[in-house]
Short mmCIF file of all heavy atoms in Angstrom, two decimals:
data_model
loop_
_atom_site.label_atom_id
_atom_site.label_comp_id
_atom_site.label_asym_id
_atom_site.label_seq_id
_atom_site.Cartn_x
_atom_site.Cartn_y
_atom_site.Cartn_z
N CYS A 28 18.26 -4.36 -12.87
CA CYS A 28 19.44 -3.62 -13.33
C CYS A 28 20.04 -2.90 -12.13
O CYS A 28 19.39 -2.04 -11.53
CB CYS A 28 19.03 -2.60 -14.41
SG CYS A 28 20.38 -1.48 -14.84
N ARG A 30 22.32 -0.72 -11.98
CA ARG A 30 22.46 0.73 -12.19
C ARG A 30 21.12 1.43 -11.93
O ARG A 30 21.09 2.50 -11.34
CB ARG A 30 22.94 1.00 -13.62
CG ARG A 30 23.19 2.46 -13.91
CD ARG A 30 23.75 2.64 -15.31
NE ARG A 30 23.79 4.03 -15.70
CZ ARG A 30 24.78 4.87 -15.38
NH1 ARG A 30 25.79 4.45 -14.65
NH2 ARG A 30 24.75 6.13 -15.79
N ARG A 31 20.05 0.82 -12.37
CA ARG A 31 18.73 1.45 -12.14
C ARG A 31 18.46 1.56 -10.63
O ARG A 31 17.95 2.57 -10.16
CB ARG A 31 17.62 0.64 -12.83
CG ARG A 31 16.29 1.33 -12.76
CD ARG A 31 15.42 0.99 -13.95
NE ARG A 31 14.56 -0.15 -13.71
CZ ARG A 31 14.01 -0.87 -14.67
NH1 ARG A 31 14.27 -0.59 -15.94
NH2 ARG A 31 13.23 -1.86 -14.38
N LEU A 34 20.48 4.50 -9.41
CA LEU A 34 19.91 5.79 -9.84
C LEU A 34 18.66 6.13 -9.04
O LEU A 34 18.43 7.29 -8.69
CB LEU A 34 19.60 5.76 -11.34
CG LEU A 34 20.83 5.67 -12.27
CD1 LEU A 34 20.41 5.48 -13.72
CD2 LEU A 34 21.72 6.91 -12.14
N ALA A 209 28.16 0.31 -13.97
CA ALA A 209 28.20 0.66 -15.40
C ALA A 209 26.88 0.32 -16.09
O ALA A 209 26.19 -0.63 -15.69
CB ALA A 209 29.34 -0.10 -16.06
N ALA A 210 26.57 1.09 -17.13
CA ALA A 210 25.34 0.82 -17.89
C ALA A 210 25.57 -0.36 -18.82
O ALA A 210 26.62 -0.46 -19.47
CB ALA A 210 24.98 2.05 -18.71
N GLU A 211 24.60 -1.25 -18.85
CA GLU A 211 24.67 -2.40 -19.78
C GLU A 211 23.36 -2.47 -20.54
O GLU A 211 22.30 -2.63 -19.92
CB GLU A 211 24.86 -3.71 -19.00
CG GLU A 211 26.28 -3.93 -18.54
CD GLU A 211 26.40 -5.21 -17.74
OE1 GLU A 211 25.63 -6.16 -18.02
OE2 GLU A 211 27.23 -5.24 -16.82
N LEU A 212 23.44 -2.34 -21.84
CA LEU A 212 22.22 -2.35 -22.65
C LEU A 212 21.55 -3.71 -22.57
O LEU A 212 22.20 -4.75 -22.65
CB LEU A 212 22.56 -2.02 -24.10
CG LEU A 212 21.37 -1.54 -24.93
CD1 LEU A 212 20.97 -0.12 -24.52
CD2 LEU A 212 21.68 -1.58 -26.42
N LYS A 213 20.22 -3.71 -22.41
CA LYS A 213 19.43 -4.95 -22.33
C LYS A 213 17.97 -4.60 -22.61
O LYS A 213 17.61 -3.42 -22.68
CB LYS A 213 19.60 -5.59 -20.96
CG LYS A 213 19.35 -4.65 -19.79
CD LYS A 213 19.77 -5.33 -18.51
CE LYS A 213 20.05 -4.37 -17.37
NZ LYS A 213 21.14 -3.44 -17.56
N ALA A 215 15.52 -4.60 -20.73
CA ALA A 215 14.89 -3.81 -19.66
C ALA A 215 15.09 -2.30 -19.87
O ALA A 215 14.38 -1.49 -19.29
CB ALA A 215 15.47 -4.21 -18.31
N CYS A 216 16.07 -1.92 -20.70
CA CYS A 216 16.30 -0.48 -20.96
C CYS A 216 15.14 0.12 -21.77
O CYS A 216 14.95 1.34 -21.75
CB CYS A 216 17.59 -0.27 -21.73
SG CYS A 216 19.05 -0.91 -20.90
N CYS A 219 12.88 1.93 -19.48
CA CYS A 219 13.52 2.49 -18.29
C CYS A 219 13.39 4.01 -18.29
O CYS A 219 13.74 4.67 -19.27
CB CYS A 219 14.99 2.08 -18.23
SG CYS A 219 15.83 2.78 -16.79
N PHE A 221 15.18 6.11 -16.91
CA PHE A 221 16.46 6.82 -16.89
C PHE A 221 17.13 6.87 -18.27
O PHE A 221 18.06 7.63 -18.47
CB PHE A 221 17.42 6.15 -15.90
CG PHE A 221 16.92 6.23 -14.48
CD1 PHE A 221 16.56 5.08 -13.79
CD2 PHE A 221 16.78 7.45 -13.85
CE1 PHE A 221 16.09 5.16 -12.49
CE2 PHE A 221 16.31 7.54 -12.54
CZ PHE A 221 15.97 6.38 -11.87
N ARG A 222 16.67 6.04 -19.20
CA ARG A 222 17.32 6.00 -20.51
C ARG A 222 17.16 7.34 -21.21
O ARG A 222 16.05 7.85 -21.34
CB ARG A 222 16.76 4.87 -21.38
CG ARG A 222 17.53 4.69 -22.68
CD ARG A 222 17.20 3.37 -23.32
NE ARG A 222 15.82 3.30 -23.75
CZ ARG A 222 15.40 3.61 -24.96
NH1 ARG A 222 16.25 4.01 -25.88
NH2 ARG A 222 14.11 3.51 -25.27
N CYS A 226 21.15 7.87 -18.22
CA CYS A 226 21.79 6.64 -18.69
C CYS A 226 21.67 6.59 -20.22
O CYS A 226 20.61 6.95 -20.75
CB CYS A 226 21.08 5.44 -18.05
SG CYS A 226 22.02 3.92 -18.18
N PHE A 227 22.71 6.15 -20.88
CA PHE A 227 22.71 6.10 -22.35
C PHE A 227 22.21 7.42 -22.95
O PHE A 227 21.37 7.44 -23.85
CB PHE A 227 21.86 4.93 -22.86
CG PHE A 227 22.47 3.58 -22.55
CD1 PHE A 227 21.80 2.67 -21.75
CD2 PHE A 227 23.72 3.23 -23.04
CE1 PHE A 227 22.36 1.44 -21.44
CE2 PHE A 227 24.29 2.00 -22.75
CZ PHE A 227 23.61 1.10 -21.95
S1 SF4 B 501 18.76 2.43 -19.21
FE1 SF4 B 501 19.23 0.25 -18.96
S2 SF4 B 501 21.29 0.19 -18.05
FE2 SF4 B 501 20.48 2.25 -17.76
S3 SF4 B 501 19.54 2.24 -15.76
FE3 SF4 B 501 17.93 1.79 -17.22
S4 SF4 B 501 17.83 -0.44 -17.34
FE4 SF4 B 501 19.79 0.09 -16.37
#
Side-chain angles (χ1 to χ4, degrees):
C28 171
R30 183 176 171 84
R31 187 150 92 200
L34 293 173
E211 281 178 31
L212 200 73
K213 51 190 159 297
C216 301
C219 179
F221 296 114
R222 187 165 65 93
C226 196
F227 292 119

